[in-house]
Amino acid sequence: TERINPHSRPTVSYYFPKDVGAYHYGEKHPMKPHRLTLTNALVMGYGLDKRIHKIYDVRPATREELEAFHDHDYIEYLSKVTPQNQDQMGDSIDIFNCGEDCPVFSGMYDFCRMYAGGTLAACRKLCAGTTDIAINWSGGLHHAKRGEASGFCYVNDIVLGILELLRYHPRVLYVDIDIHHGDGVEQAFYQTNRVMTVSFHKYTGDFFPGTGKLDDNGLGLGKHFALNVPLLDGINDDMYLTVFKSVIENVVDAFRPSAIVLQCGADSLGCDRLGAFNLSIAAHGECVRFVHNFGVPLMVVGGGGYTIKNVSRCWTYETSVLVGASIPNELPSTIYDSFFADSGWKLHPPLTGKVENMNTPVSLRRITTSIRNKLRYLQG
Ligand code: TV7
Ligand code: CA
Ligand code: ZN
């Protein structure tokens, strides 16, 4: 099909649900929606909005839209529960897994409707063919299941977005560079050959969510259409980029996706409060550039990321990569300047070398070779 602008720069659409950064999971909780406000301030501060085709506020997703994936009873619960009435809702807390990781906070359902509404609107725009790239940094909540919350995620905007893409796209590739396994998305599409899921993550058995081993590869029609890249603590830029590029190049070759969804969880950066990898913002962004360069319609979402000054730096840099702008290392001055003093207000602070690298060239070689062999089943 023909592009709207076959000869000019790709069109980039940016989705920012108004006030999505104002929600609070709780004082001690590591998930801070405020990082979205910081990201937006830096994106605007750098003037990247001038390179973005359009910035969209978002219509919150409706109950019907959420029920395209989620159970009716679960959405009913999310829409009714409040910090005040959650004790009266009895054991529903246990049934729907809202507790410490996924607390019931004020405005929680509106928060869910907003980030999901952003990803849905973005995917519809990609289906209409009126944008080449769509960005929703508030999305990417990859752990949510059909009938329960998990790992800071209540509603799975990625699954909802991919279901929307599947109306028009024969094959959708999902790539996940959050340090956690993208279990909710993998599980939702584990039995279909129309969605290929690929997650890069820390895998040690005790690290959340505990799934995502090399040999979990799909079931039924979906056999060979789920890939997992289990990594150890402290992986550095060179090793990560070697594995990432090798795997993704082979995957795109074999699967030939008509659309790609990229989850850019920034907890894979060095110095993350919950993570244990050693990636720089430049390397994280290089993964985005590599996927972008295939020239396939692309949905980009956020995800994890718990050292919020670095999350906002990272997603700002990645926005610049996607719009094809090169931006200076000197951060623009914003009302949030105090967050960025650590590096002398730089976009690329030193983040590497804090955790010992437990990966070896041999352990990584084993993974890339195994994945190349698994992909041979696809060519049929
Ligand atoms: C996509 N790690 C989400 C990643 C979800 C990780 C976990 C916490 C955590 C929760 C808190 C908190 C925390 C300092 C860190 C087994 C448990 C251990 C709850 C205390 N501090 C994403 C989910 C992971 C909540 N969960 O991929 C309130 O860390 O390991 C676990 C499960 C049981 C529950 N307890 C933690 O990045 C967005 N949770 C402080 C306050
Ligand atoms: Ca991942
Ligand atoms: Zn994560």
Side-chain angles (χ1 to χ4, degrees):
T1 55
E2 203 178 334
R3 294 276 175 85
I4 296 294
N5 58 346
H7 301 298
S8 59
R9 257 194 278 123
T11 301
V12 181
S13 304
Y14 187 90
Y15 291 79
F16 189 82
K18 193 168 155 332
D19 297 329
V20 73
Y23 292 88
H24 291 268
Y25 277 62
E27 204 57 59
K28 304 232 166 93
H29 199 287
M31 178 57 102
K32 305 284 183 199
H34 186 59
R35 69 213 174 113
L36 301 165
T37 307
L38 297 183
T39 303
N40 214 36
L42 292 180
V43 165
M44 300 304 157
Y46 270 119
L48 291 173
D49 49 321
K50 294 183 206 87
R51 309 267 299 197
I52 292 168
H53 175 244
K54 195 166 167 182
I55 299 192
Y56 294 86
D57 187 14
V58 167
R59 173 179 65 70
T62 63
R63 175 185 296 257
E64 290 70 33
E65 286 172 330
L66 299 177
E67 289 181 9
F69 172 57
H70 292 286
D71 286 344
H72 175 79
D73 289 356
Y74 175 48
I75 297 303
E76 180 79 4
Y77 168 76
L78 288 182
S79 71
K80 297 232 162 94
V81 71
T82 66
Q84 289 73 37
N85 73 12
Q86 65 171 311
D87 292 338
Q88 286 97 287
M89 309 266 293
D91 58 357
S92 55
I93 302 288
D94 300 326
I95 301 174
F96 302 119
N97 196 30
C98 289
E100 270 190 304
D101 272 353
C102 305
V104 174
F105 61 85
S106 169
M108 176 184 83
Y109 185 55
D110 293 327
F111 175 72
C112 294
R113 293 179 63 204
M114 282 191 192
Y115 73 75
T119 302
L120 276 172
C123 288
R124 286 184 184 134
K125 185 96 181 149
L126 285 165
C127 283
T130 50
T131 197
D132 303 299
I133 299 162
I135 304 172
N136 175 22
W137 294 125
S138 71
L141 300 194
H142 58 177
H143 297 305
K145 306 293 172 354
R146 186 183 303 278
E148 63 177 287
S150 174
F152 317 163
C153 308
Y154 304 86
V155 155
N156 201 315
D157 63 294
I158 304 169
V159 172
L160 293 169
I162 292 175
L163 289 172
E164 197 65 36
L165 290 172
L166 288 174
R167 292 169 172 238
Y168 285 86
H169 286 277
R171 290 177 306 283
V172 177
L173 170 63
Y174 173 66
V175 179
D176 184 319
I177 61 172
D178 189 290
I179 195 171
H180 298 96
H181 178 227
D183 60 345
V185 184
E186 178 184 273
Q187 194 184 89
F189 300 111
Y190 210 56
Q191 306 214 38
T192 177
N193 54 9
R194 290 187 60 200
V195 179
M196 175 129 196
T197 60
V198 186
S199 176
F200 298 77
H201 47 268
K202 168 170 166 170
Y203 182 78
T204 53
D206 55 341
F207 191 67
F208 187 86
T211 49
K213 63 175 188 284
L214 184 61
D215 292 329
D216 285 347
N217 298 118
L219 278 176
L221 277 180
K223 196 164 163 60
H224 313 303
F225 290 85
L227 288 176
N228 285 296
V229 184
L231 303 166
L232 299 173
D233 277 359
I235 191 163
N236 63 24
D237 287 357
D238 271 6
M239 283 184 172
Y240 194 93
L241 285 173
T242 304
V243 175
F244 183 84
K245 289 181 177 179
S246 156
V247 168
I248 296 302
E249 178 129 277
N250 288 321
V251 164
V252 170
D253 251 25
F255 184 61
R256 289 177 302 102
S258 54
I260 303 179
V261 177
L262 177 58
Q263 196 268 19
C264 296
D267 46 9
S268 43
L269 293 174
C271 302
D272 186 80
R273 181 177 161 196
L274 296 189
F277 286 175
N278 247 330
L279 298 188
S280 68
I281 289 170
H284 201 275
E286 180 61 22
C287 296
V288 175
R289 179 176 290 110
F290 190 77
V291 170
H292 167 258
N293 283 348
F294 288 103
V296 172
L298 178 62
M299 168 85 242
V300 178
V301 293
Y306 305 99
T307 301
I308 69 171
K309 60 192 180 197
N310 295 332
V311 177
S312 56
R313 285 170 166 130
C314 182
W315 291 346
T316 299
Y317 176 62
E318 289 169 354
T319 303
S320 81
V321 166
L322 292 166
V323 303
S326 95
I327 54 176
N329 194 21
E330 195 69 38
L331 287 173
S333 173
T334 67
I335 59 171
Y336 304 108
D337 273 354
S338 60
F339 281 87
F340 306 109
D342 60 331
S343 66
W345 299 277
K346 296 292 189 290
L347 180 60
H348 295 282
L351 301 178
T352 56
K354 299 279 183 355
V355 181
E356 193 191 345
N357 189 353
M358 304 307 283
N359 303 272
T360 65
V362 173
S363 69
L364 297 175
R365 187 87 206 167
R366 186 182 141 257
I367 293 171
T368 49
T369 304
S370 158
I371 286 183
R372 198 170 310 124
N373 287 330
K374 291 174 190 296
L375 285 168
R376 293 213 295 236
Y377 292 102
L378 262 67
Q379 260 94 9

